[in-house]
Amino acid sequence: MANEEVTIKDIAKQLNISFSTVSRALRGHPDVNTETKKKILELAGKLNYEKNPLALSLRKQKTHTIGVIIPEIANTFFSSIISGIQHVAYEAGYNVMICLSDENFEREVSNVQHLVRYRTEGLLVSISTETADFQHFELAKRKLPMVFFDRTWENGGVSQVVVDDYEGAFTMTEHLVEMGYKRIAHLAGPKNVQVTKNRLQGYLDALKKNNHAIDENLIVFGGFSQEFGSEAIKKLVDLAEKPDAVFCVNDRTALGVMLVLKEKHIAIPEEMAVAGFTNAPFSTIIEPNLTTMAQPAFEIGQISTEIMLRHLQEEVYQPEIRTLKTQLLIRDSTLRNKS
Amino acid sequence: MANEEVTIKDIAKQLNISFSTVSRALRGHPDVNTETKKKILELAGKLNYEKNPLALSLRKQKTHTIGVIIPEIANTFFSSIISGIQHVAYEAGYNVMICLSDENFEREVSNVQHLVRYRTEGLLVSISTETADFQHFELAKRKLPMVFFDRTWENGGVSQVVVDDYEGAFTMTEHLVEMGYKRIAHLAGPKNVQVTKNRLQGYLDALKKNNHAIDENLIVFGGFSQEFGSEAIKKLVDLAEKPDAVFCVNDRTALGVMLVLKEKHIAIPEEMAVAGFTNAPFSTIIEPNLTTMAQPAFEIGQISTEIMLRHLQEEVYQPEIRTLKTQLLIRDSTLRNKS
DNA sequence: TTGTACGCGTTATCAT
DNA sequence: ATGATAACGCGTACAA
């Protein structure tokens, strides 16, 4: 592969002038003769000259790149966020470098190191389910501004963009109560993730407020996956006192639940209602359609990036926490005639 | 934000030796005293020294980065491919820089320019639906190796990783014939994309082989979207001679079709069968489950990257075309008792 | 074995 | 208005 890129030196040589003049002309410096400037721009155009971003970055100590770390990409929620990030970054002339942690702690650490070494100017992060230690972020925070989204570093003194998980879970649980369900189970996420805690708390508080007894047997911790949902529901339906509704930490878990219930010919919602969280695309495809809380994924990406752009202008990092509203979408999986 | 990164000069100064010795030691050059080497490595470790990849890239004219251009990311097919790419690239110590064309030609051109300027060492590309002119790729091809996947540059003399769209469509159409469907429609993709042409041809040839008449009215060109599917099927069901089966260019289109059919209370597959292509996650969620051709998305990403890694070792670019097998997944949306 | 000098492509600060 | 020179951080041929 040929690699004969045109440089300012080439232009200077052909015009018999010094390359610093060329540099000035090319970047619109006022102190340059109108005629020579014209000549330079012409030749540059003819030779298809393009600035070398690598040299520029080294010189200016600026890469004009924002680093992103997410747990996985083959997931509509995260890929929509990425889409939002890319759109805003692109408009502002920033590049985006995406790394996947694969829900793996070591890999997340290595991602952070890589992006810091690479002199990305800021980090947009959603942590892995394994992450309990935040030292790698502590280090990174000293070098560049960070914005966490969805799965965040709660006490890190960093910017965060989250949805109101507590309120969302509270609202959803109250919806189930209002529909007349008496034994409402909760499939919770992985224990160390803040999202899990907030949604659990919303669930608990809504039950308390409505004078529902809290039954530990109806709360199962686990993950965000469909498999977790399937496994968990199998245990719940074997209980002596079965639940009559299941509020799942997210839609994928709810999917796992629904598929098992269908397999076992347990009618949804007549025998058992199911609710999710996220508003994944399939939630309007599955039958019955899944009741869920919409999370504005694309917007999360946009806002996170907007906050990052602000940080990149700031003298001192001023963290900001933005909480986005969720929206209750009542569908058939919880909609039955009150008894 | 502090930016006092440790350089080889700092280490050299502290040890009163020249920085070239430090450079040598750090990179395992043999000609360096064992003791000084030890000292250097120790101090480097203590100071948390890390090579500056920017300087390294400028110096070596190698960025160790592979560029990727895809039409969209909020799509399981593409995000699974990305996942496959990242995995292989990561293992080989390569970085990945992802750009989205957003199905937009100008943006694709700008993506190519950016990645070339940025000195990514190779390009992995799936073209936008708008792309009919390949000049930007012609230019890029002179500078770095390229591998196209799924939506490729057919006559570009470049490496390609595709699934056997022709055979897949042929097999699917024959399946419909075998099931006894008589008027099989085809919702085709956008006209200029090769995927569209291949699937259409497979459909046509299968009909011919089985002595089915080809009815132009039953072939509708359009896009890859759910909306296209919905619009197209609305016209087809209004036909005097309705189809009794619809083979869609992909699952999303099939989804659009199915939702409209359900709305109109047209029974699937009894009154009209529906088949897709891709094996999107929702195809086992929708009812009836969608008959489709599985495309190995993750594998497409892996293989594309493996081929790219080979190119990066080669003296001269030797393009290779890899065709992956699809797999027919017969589900309820086409499964009816033969009449 | 180690140090010197130069180059990668650019910007910025001096002079002139 | 222009040119020479240093610097960004690193690697390497050549000299010592």
Side-chain angles (χ1 to χ4, degrees), chain A residues 29 70 87 104 126 145 213 235 247 283:
Chain A
H29 192 99
I70 51 171
H87 273 83
N104 176 303
S126 196
K235 288 173 195 155
F247 166 38
S283 59

Side-chain angles (χ1 to χ4, degrees), chain A residues 42 159 182 184 202 294:
Chain A
E42 262 177 21
S159 285
K182 301 300 179 194
I184 304 170

Side-chain angles (χ1 to χ4, degrees), chain A residues 14-224:
Chain A
Q14 290 201 33
L15 257 43
N16 268 324
I17 52 178
S18 99
F19 66 88
S20 38
T21 308
V22 178
S23 170
R24 270 188 286 258
L26 252 29
R27 119 187 85 90
H29 192 99
D31 286 355
V32 51
N33 187 300
T34 326
E35 264 187 54
T36 51
K37 181 171 179 177
K38 202 176 135 192
K39 271 194 221 165
I40 292 170
L41 292 181
E42 262 177 21
L43 186 58
K46 210 174 66 184
L47 295 180
N48 256 311
Y49 168 80
E50 290 185 333
K51 279 193 184 149
N52 183 326
L54 254 53
L56 233 160
S57 293
L58 179 60
R59 177 63 238 247
K60 291 208 168 182
Q61 300 288 44
K62 294 242 170 208
T63 51
H64 239 64
T65 300
I66 296 172
V68 180
I69 302 176
I70 51 171
E72 49 172 339
I73 185 86
N75 172 319
T76 321
F77 179 63
F78 284 117
S79 58
S80 296
I81 291 178
I82 293 292
S83 204
I85 292 174
Q86 294 260 25
H87 273 83
V88 175
Y90 185 86
E91 291 302 319
Y94 272 86
N95 312 322
V96 174
M97 187 147 223
I98 301 162
C99 292
L100 308 181
S101 67
D102 237 348
E103 299 287 14
N104 176 303
F105 178 70
E106 280 78 33
R107 188 116 168 208
E108 181 178 282
V109 174
S110 130
N111 286 338
V112 173
Q113 288 175 343
H114 173 69
L115 293 173
V116 170
R117 263 200 296 261
Y118 210 80
R119 305 294 190 276
T120 52
E121 298 185 27
L123 250 42
L124 260 35
V125 183
S126 196
I127 67 171
S128 88
T129 48
E130 291 184 3
T131 305
D133 175 10
F134 294 86
Q135 221 183 325
H136 51 309
F137 293 134
E138 198 75 69
L139 253 58
K141 189 186 156 190
R142 295 189 207 138
K143 304 201 177 182
L144 36 72
M146 304 182 73
V147 177
F148 286 74
F149 56 89
D150 193 53
R151 307 202 207 147
T152 75
W153 180 19
E154 283 285 311
N155 305 311
V158 290
S159 285
Q160 299 172 45
V161 177
V162 291
V163 298
D164 199 332
D165 289 305
Y166 173 84
E167 195 191 282
F170 190 96
T171 305
M172 180 61 85
T173 309
E174 280 214 311
H175 159 68
L176 293 172
V177 169
E178 278 168 21
M179 294 304 295
Y181 298 104
K182 301 300 179 194
R183 293 183 52 74
I184 304 170
H186 180 43
L187 301 195
K191 280 200 172 174
N192 55 316
V193 179
Q194 194 62 32
V195 167
T196 299
K197 298 177 194 165
N198 294 340
R199 293 187 190 167
L200 174 63
Q201 198 59 49
Y203 159 82
L204 293 173
D205 288 359
L207 289 186
K208 276 182 208 152
K209 182 188 162 201
N210 290 279
N211 301 313
H212 272 233
I214 287 164
D215 183 345
E216 294 288 344
N217 294 321
L218 296 185
I219 302 174
V220 186
F221 285 92
F224 290 126

Side-chain angles (χ1 to χ4, degrees), chain B residues 315-332:
Chain B
E315 286 298 314
V316 292
Y317 178 64
Q318 295 191 315
E320 165 186 358
I321 297 182
R322 191 82 68 87
T323 306
L324 306 185
K325 289 285 162 216
T326 55
Q327 191 191 354
L328 176 60
L329 301 174
I330 301 174
R331 304 205 182 104
D332 294 336

